[in-house]
C-alpha cells in the first residue's frame, strides 16, 4: 500500500479510543484523523475528515453505532468496522445489514487491529472466524419463511459460482473454499468477484447474509 489510511475512532470511552490511537499512530501507513464519542459526532467528523476506515463502537449515547453505520455507508463516508464485545452486544446481524464491513473484538491484539484497519481500507470485508460463527449462529436462529421463492438473480450464477456463494455463506475464506472445491485461490477470488458483481453485493459480508436469506444455507447446517 502506498497511500496512508485515514482512520476515525468512535467509542464513548476515551480510554478505548486512546488505546486504539496509540496502536495505530505508530504505523507509517495509518493516520488517525479524528475521534468521536457517539454516532452523531461520528457522522460530523466523517464529513469533515473523510476517513477510509471508521472503527465503530455499538452501544453509545445519542446515536448508536448501528444507526451511525447506516448513515456513513449510505453517504459513502468510509468503511465501517464494528468494534464490539459479544457478551453484551445483541446487534451484530443488524450492524451487518446496516452495511458494516466487518467486526473486531475489543480484546483483540494490536496485530488484529492493524489487520482489520488495513483489510477494510483495501475494501475487503473482515470476518474473523469467531465472529463468523456468531453471525452465522444468529442468522441460523432466525425463522425461515416456508417455501421461500428463490431470488431471480441466482439464475445468473454459474453452477460453480453458486457453490462458491454457499461456501461464502458458511463463512469460509478463499483458501478454505479453494481446498473444498479443489481450485486455486486465484480462481476462487475470480468466482467471488463474479458472485458479488452479479448479485450486486458490496462485499463477502453481504454474501453471507444473502446466502441465508436466499435459503441456500439451512438453519440446521453447521
Amino acid at each position: 500500500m502506498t497511500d496512508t489510511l485515514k482512520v476515525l475512532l468512535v467509542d464513548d470511552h476515551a480510554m478505548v479510543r486512546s488505546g486504539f490511537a496509540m496502536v495505530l499512530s505508530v504505523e507509517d501507513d495509518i493516520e488517525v484523523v479524528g475521534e468521536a464519542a457517539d454516532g452523531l459526532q461520528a457522522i460530523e467528523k466523517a464529513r469533515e475528515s473523510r476517513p477510509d476506515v471508521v472503527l465503530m463502537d455499538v452501544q453509545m449515547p445519542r446515536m448508536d453505532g448501528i444507526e451511525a453505520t447506516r448513515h456513513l455507508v449510505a453517504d459513502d463516508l468510509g468503511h465501517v468496522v464494528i468494534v464490539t464485545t459479544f457478551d453484551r452486544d445483541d446487534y451484530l446481524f443488524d450492524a451487518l445489514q446496516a452495511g458494516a464491513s466487518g467486526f473486531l473484538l475489543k480484546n483483540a491484539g494490536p496485530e488484529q487491529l492493524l489487520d482489520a484497519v488495513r483489510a477494510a481500507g483495501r475494501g475487503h470485508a473482515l470476518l474473523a472466524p469467531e465472529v463468523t460463527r456468531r453471525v452465522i449462529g444468529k442468522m441460523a436462529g432466525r425463522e425461515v419463511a416456508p417455501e421461500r421463492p428463490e431470488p431471480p438473480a441466482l439464475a445468473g450464477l454459474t453452477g460453480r459460482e453458486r457453490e462458491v456463494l454457499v461456501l461464502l455463506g458458511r463463512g469460509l475464506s478463499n483458501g478454505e473454499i479453494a481446498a473444498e472445491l479443489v481450485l486455486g485461490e486465484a480462481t476462487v477470488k475470480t468466482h467471488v468477484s463474479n458472485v458479488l458483481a452479479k448479485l450486486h453485493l458490496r462485499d463477502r459480508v453481504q454474501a453471507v447474509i444473502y446466502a441465508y436469506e436466499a435459503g441456500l444455507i439451512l438453519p440446521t447446517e453447521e
Side-chain angles (χ1 to χ4, degrees), residues 43-147:
I43 295 170
E44 294 173 6
K45 294 285 187 180
R47 286 174 178 159
E48 294 172 2
S49 59
R50 311 297 295 191
D52 299 298
V53 180
V54 181
L55 292 181
M56 179 76 73
D57 189 20
V58 174
Q59 297 180 341
M60 296 180 294
R62 298 210 300 167
M63 179 185 288
D64 65 35
I66 294 172
E67 185 63 24
T69 295
R70 192 172 289 114
H71 285 283
L72 293 175
V73 171
D75 293 340
D76 195 21
L77 294 175
H79 299 286
V80 179
V81 175
I82 297 294
V83 184
T84 184
T85 53
F86 287 126
D87 289 344
R88 65 182 182 88
D89 194 337
D90 299 327
Y91 306 118
L92 298 180
F93 187 74
D94 291 337
L96 279 178
Q97 291 186 314
S101 293
F103 292 94
L104 182 71
L105 303 183
K106 280 191 174 178
N107 62 359
E111 289 303 317
Q112 289 176 294
L113 175 63
L114 295 171
D115 288 346
V117 168
R118 289 175 176 134
R122 294 186 182 102
H124 299 165
L126 179 78
L127 281 178
E130 63 269 34
V131 175
T132 303
R133 288 193 292 271
R134 294 296 293 261
V135 172
I136 288 176
K138 184 175 287 288
M139 286 188 287
R142 292 180 173 229
E143 292 185 4
V144 178
E147 300 181 359

